Amino acid sequence: MRIRVVNPNTTAAMTALIGASARAVAGPGVLVEAVTSATGPASVESHYDEALSVPGLLAAVADGEASDVDGYVVACFGDPGLDAARELARGPVVGIAEAAMHAAALLGRGFSVVTTLERTRGRAWELAHRYTAPGACRGVHACDIPVLELDADPHLADRVAALGGLALEEDGSDVIVLGCAGMAGLCEAVSARLGVPVVDGVGAATLLVQSLVTLGLRTSARNEYAPPLPKPYTGALAGFGMTIQSGSAKSPVSRGSRAM
């Protein structure tokens, strides 16, 4: 089984961290390919960043389709381009916020998200309302550390644990969700400090994709996630015009990604 974990930003160091976290949980015989987007922002911390990260993500998925990848993880907590990727891929596509929130809802009556910048809290709330039952997400808290500074902070685990502890008290929650792919790898340290489950979306999404592939399940193509209709695209997106291949496989005319 091949699972492609796509980092929608262009920072290779973060892709390496994401890939290590995914491989740490993948089962025997599962090949995890961690891929850095070939185009887009260095980090995704705004709606503008998110919008511009999607073409690179889709190119990485299209490249995977050309080489028979079985499933995909969208490794950014805003889950950018998730619906579009599902229209493109034959196998399952799972976002890390989606997987983390679903997992957290199975581990307690309520969860809190610890994320990066204050400005990203609205997006996390929006996804929580989409993915989980009302009241499952009790709060979203920001540590106000830019994504590109996460790996340079020697006290990151302490800061996340301190904010997580505050979230547990203020929200009355039972589980902490780490709200950034750049926080992957902090689960054990933060959980030990807080004494509650701490969910990293990279690991959760990787295992969810693995399970869906093992079960022989894939995204339904009956309605909304059916292949996009072929049509021309112009300008910088000219290479993204769709072609429909045999077996309902979907692929843009041009592709571009790089594996780490």
Side-chain angles (χ1 to χ4, degrees):
M1 184 189 304
R2 292 173 60 202
I3 297 175
R4 176 163 287 199
V5 181
V6 183
N7 175 13
N9 74 43
T10 57
T11 300
M14 188 172 295
T15 306
L17 171 65
I18 291 167
S21 297
R23 293 184 188 102
V25 301
V30 177
L31 174 64
V32 172
E33 303 173 352
V35 174
T36 306
S37 180
T39 182
S43 62
V44 179
E45 299 169 296
S46 67
H47 297 293
Y48 187 81
D49 292 339
E50 184 172 304
L52 293 179
S53 73
V54 174
L57 165 73
L58 296 180
V61 172
D63 182 75
E65 290 298 282
S67 57
D68 295 323
V69 168
D70 295 296
Y72 303 85
V73 172
V74 178
C76 172
F77 200 77
D79 289 354
L82 179 60
D83 291 323
R86 284 176 173 157
E87 292 180 338
L88 181 61
R90 287 164 292 196
V93 184
V94 177
I96 65 170
E98 178 181 46
M101 291 180 184
H102 281 304
L106 298 174
L107 300 173
R109 293 300 297 267
F111 64 87
S112 296
V113 177
V114 175
T115 188
T116 52
L117 298 183
E118 180 74 17
R119 67 181 296 164
T120 67
R121 292 177 64 244
R123 177 61 171 163
W125 273 116
E126 180 181 90
L127 293 177
H129 291 318
R130 172 179 174 177
Y131 296 146
T132 60
C137 183
R138 303 280 178 85
V140 179
H141 303 258
C143 60
D144 277 329
I145 305 175
V147 170
L148 296 180
E149 295 180 13
L150 290 173
D151 63 347
D153 188 339
H155 306 294
L156 179 61
D158 293 333
R159 294 180 65 175
V160 171
L163 187 57
L166 180 65
L168 294 174
E169 292 297 321
E170 288 188 354
D171 303 337
S173 54
D174 307 313
V175 181
I176 294 296
V177 168
L178 299 178
C180 179
M183 293 179 177
L186 295 180
C187 286
E188 185 175 352
V190 175
S191 182
R193 283 274 301 272
L194 299 180
V196 300
V198 176
V199 182
D200 157 45
V202 174
T206 300
L207 285 179
L208 185 51
V209 170
Q210 177 181 313
S211 297
L212 292 171
V213 173
T214 299
L215 290 168
L217 298 174
R218 60 181 63 190
T219 305
S220 174
R222 181 172 181 268
N223 286 313
E224 186 174 341
Y225 293 138
L229 296 175
K231 67 190 66 173
Y233 284 66
T234 59
L237 299 180
F240 283 82
M242 303 301 298
T243 59
I244 306 300
Q245 300 173 349
S246 61
S248 296
K250 296 89 73 174
S251 179
V253 174
S254 65
R255 309 173 180 90
S257 62
R258 59 180 183 271
M260 295 301 295

